[in-house]
């Protein structure tokens, strides 16, 4: 659960969420991200460190460049957890709908008397 907590903490920041969206489309270097987000290199690097420590991205070395890419497995762990919670909510709503239908039916029967 610690890795999941780190992922949610990393995704709490709107800039980091934007970086994740950008990296979902294509790999990018720090310079690419600096240009895209109009932030300084140290700021982007600090956001990347948080995302990397949460396991959401990885960086490789390609000559002088260090492209960043999204780690889909860790992101999948986040979406799997959210889907699990969504199933619970949907079950709760279905039970609530059934209860409301039952109460409406009881109310109709009371009016008929």
């Amino acid at each position: 659960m610690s890795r999941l907590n780190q992922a949610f903490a990393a995704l709490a920041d709107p800039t980091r969420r934007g970086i994740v969206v950008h990296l979902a489309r294509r790999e990018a270097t720090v310079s690419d991200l600096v240009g895209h987000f109009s932030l300084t290199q140290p700021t982007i690097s600090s956001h990347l460190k948080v995302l990397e420590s949460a396991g959401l991205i990885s960086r490789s070395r390609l000559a002088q460049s260090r492209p960043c890419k999204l780690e889909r497995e860790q992101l999948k762990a986040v979406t799997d957890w959210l889907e699990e919670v969504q199933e619970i909510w949907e079950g709760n709503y279905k039970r609530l709908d059934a209860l409301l239908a039952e109460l409406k039916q009881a109310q109709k029967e009371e009016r008929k008397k």
Side-chain angles (χ1 to χ4, degrees):
M1 193 66 152
S2 172
R3 195 71 150 168
L4 190 58
N5 289 341
Q6 282 183 307
F8 278 113
L11 294 171
D13 183 273
T15 300
R16 290 194 285 269
R17 288 193 307 272
I19 291 170
V20 167
V21 169
H22 187 80
L23 294 177
R25 293 184 183 115
R26 65 185 163 279
E27 291 185 10
T29 63
V30 173
S31 298
D32 297 335
L33 295 169
V34 165
H36 184 76
F37 290 95
S38 301
L39 296 171
T40 64
Q41 184 274 331
T43 302
I44 290 291
S45 291
S46 118
H47 284 300
L48 292 175
K49 285 179 186 173
V50 172
L51 290 168
E52 190 173 24
S53 73
L56 294 169
I57 68 162
S58 63
R59 293 192 257 188
S60 58
R61 186 172 294 275
L62 183 64
Q64 299 293 330
S65 171
R66 296 211 50 207
C68 302
K69 73 173 190 170
L70 194 61
E71 287 299 322
R72 297 184 194 287
E73 283 303 312
Q74 181 61 21
L75 196 57
K76 184 174 177 349
V78 171
T79 58
D80 287 348
W81 184 86
L82 289 171
E83 286 171 358
E84 191 177 311
V85 171
Q86 183 178 1
E87 286 177 21
I88 293 167
W89 289 342
E90 286 174 359
N92 290 343
Y93 288 134
K94 285 178 184 175
R95 285 193 302 281
L96 181 59
D97 287 342
L99 177 62
L100 289 173
E102 185 181 309
L103 291 173
K104 282 183 183 180
Q105 185 62 34
Q107 193 176 34
K108 281 182 185 179
E109 290 173 9
E110 271 299 308
R111 286 185 196 150
K112 288 180 183 178
K113 291 181 181 180

